[in-house]
């Protein structure tokens, strides 16, 4: 199993190789999900800044006010010259990037058929789930796990990638870089409009100076892990 990878094997390895999502319509819609404290808004800012450095139009719609730990956070991000609204219509996101596995299912309806899902394997059970067990410890309760998340996603798309982003972030030298690990995985896709170098420049500009090197290492580790999986079925770019 490739480094940093956990969970079920990505499906689609037997599919014919193709350019990837949305390369024909001139825009790319990315739905991002996570919980408060995982750096989702920073990730959105890094992509937006990289888009500006690349003279691309990037429009985002971010949910604020739930920055406490375990609060659900979502970001709509669309890239393309004709994009006017940040909101992604249901069923039309080209990719879903999730910093927490269970949050993936909360926004699964946005992913289009055949889109790409990049998921952190970390599971953080919300209190709405754990409270049932606390109320009645003898009741037959079973927490939702990563395998069930992947199983449901694979009813929408064969292109599902799970990464142990925390393990890769630790290897990069900073456990707070999980978000950048997943960004590295996303930029491997040739269909993702923003190339790697502007993303690296944006990271250098937007993270604290003392954390830049660790974030750049996290970016590379995420990209390397994704290349070992996605490039079997989807077109990838050189990094």
């Amino acid at each position: 199993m490739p480094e940093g990878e956990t969970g079920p094997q990505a499906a689609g390895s037997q599919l014919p190789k193709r350019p990837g999502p949305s390369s024909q319509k001139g825009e790319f819609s990315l739905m991002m999900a996570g919980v408060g404290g995982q750096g989702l808004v920073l990730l959105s800012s890094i992509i937006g800044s990289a888009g500006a450095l690349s003279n691309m139009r990037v429009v985002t719609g971010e949910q604020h006010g739930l920055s406490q730990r375990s609060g659900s956070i979502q970001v709509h991000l669309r890239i393309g010259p004709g994009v006017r609204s940040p909101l992604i219509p249901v069923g039309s996101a080209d990719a879903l990037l999730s910093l927490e596995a269970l949050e993936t299912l909360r926004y699964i309806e946005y992913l289009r058929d055949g889109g790409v899902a990049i998921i952190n394997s970390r599971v953080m059970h919300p209190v709405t789930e754990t409270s049932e067990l606390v109320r009645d410890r003898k009741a037959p309760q079973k927490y939702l796990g990563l395998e069930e998340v992947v199983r449901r996603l694979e009813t929408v798309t064969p292109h599902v990638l799970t990464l142990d982003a925390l393990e890769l972030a630790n290897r990069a030298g900073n456990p707070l870089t999980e978000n950048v690990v997943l960004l590295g995985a996303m930029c491997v896709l040739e269909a993702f409009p923003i190339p790697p170098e502007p993303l690296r420049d944006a990271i250098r500009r937007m993270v604290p100076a003392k954390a830049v090197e660790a974030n750049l290492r996290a970016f590379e580790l995420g990209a390397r892990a994704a290349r070992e999986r996605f490039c079997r079925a989807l077109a990838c770019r050189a990094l």
Side-chain angles (χ1 to χ4, degrees):
M1 185 175 287
E3 60 183 0
E5 174 187 329
T6 64
Q9 289 288 327
S13 59
Q14 302 304 316
L15 297 177
K17 201 165 184 175
R18 58 182 186 176
S22 130
S23 58
Q24 296 180 348
K25 66 181 182 182
E27 64 180 62
F28 190 94
S29 295
L30 173 62
M31 186 74 192
M32 296 192 287
V35 300
Q38 288 193 294
L40 193 56
V41 174
L42 173 61
L43 188 58
S44 168
S45 298
I46 289 173
I47 298 174
S49 177
L53 292 171
S54 306
N55 295 317
M56 294 181 184
R57 181 176 177 80
V58 180
V59 182
T60 67
E62 301 164 353
Q63 178 193 47
H64 292 279
L66 295 175
S67 59
Q68 293 180 335
R69 284 286 179 188
S70 298
S72 178
I73 305 292
Q74 59 171 298
V75 174
H76 294 239
L77 189 148
R78 301 177 71 195
I79 305 169
V83 170
R84 294 293 180 267
S85 168
L87 298 182
I88 301 171
V90 169
S92 61
D94 300 295
L96 172 59
L97 186 154
S98 183
L99 302 183
E100 194 279 331
L102 299 183
E103 289 299 316
T104 312
L105 296 183
R106 200 185 299 278
Y107 304 102
I108 189 174
E109 62 183 348
Y110 286 94
L111 186 64
R112 69 169 175 79
D113 291 346
V116 170
I118 298 177
I119 310 167
N120 190 355
S121 62
R122 181 206 279 254
V123 175
M124 300 169 69
H125 297 281
V127 292
T128 53
E129 188 178 6
T130 58
S131 61
E132 293 297 322
L133 185 59
V134 171
R135 276 198 290 268
D136 184 0
R137 294 182 181 277
K138 295 182 179 178
Q141 300 288 343
K142 184 179 179 181
Y143 289 148
L144 199 64
L146 177 63
E147 290 188 1
E148 178 63 16
V149 171
V150 173
R151 188 190 68 77
R152 297 186 188 187
L153 271 170
E154 288 180 343
T155 66
V156 179
T157 178
H159 305 302
V160 179
L161 175 69
T162 59
L163 289 178
D164 187 346
L166 179 59
E167 191 275 331
L168 292 174
N170 281 326
R171 200 186 306 174
N174 188 334
L176 300 180
T177 60
E178 285 178 281
N179 53 353
V180 175
V181 167
L182 295 172
L183 177 61
M186 176 61 67
C187 87
V188 165
L189 293 177
E190 191 175 270
F192 184 61
I194 303 176
E197 199 50 44
L199 291 167
R200 294 188 183 97
D201 285 345
I203 290 170
R204 294 186 186 98
R205 293 167 184 244
M206 304 199 69
V207 306
K210 63 182 181 181
V212 167
E213 290 306 316
N215 274 274
L216 291 175
R217 285 195 294 271
F219 184 84
E220 302 304 329
L221 287 172
R224 189 187 309 168
R227 282 189 65 84
E228 294 171 351
R229 297 283 295 282
F230 273 158
C231 300
R232 301 171 189 169
L234 300 173
C236 296
R237 58 161 57 97
L239 298 177

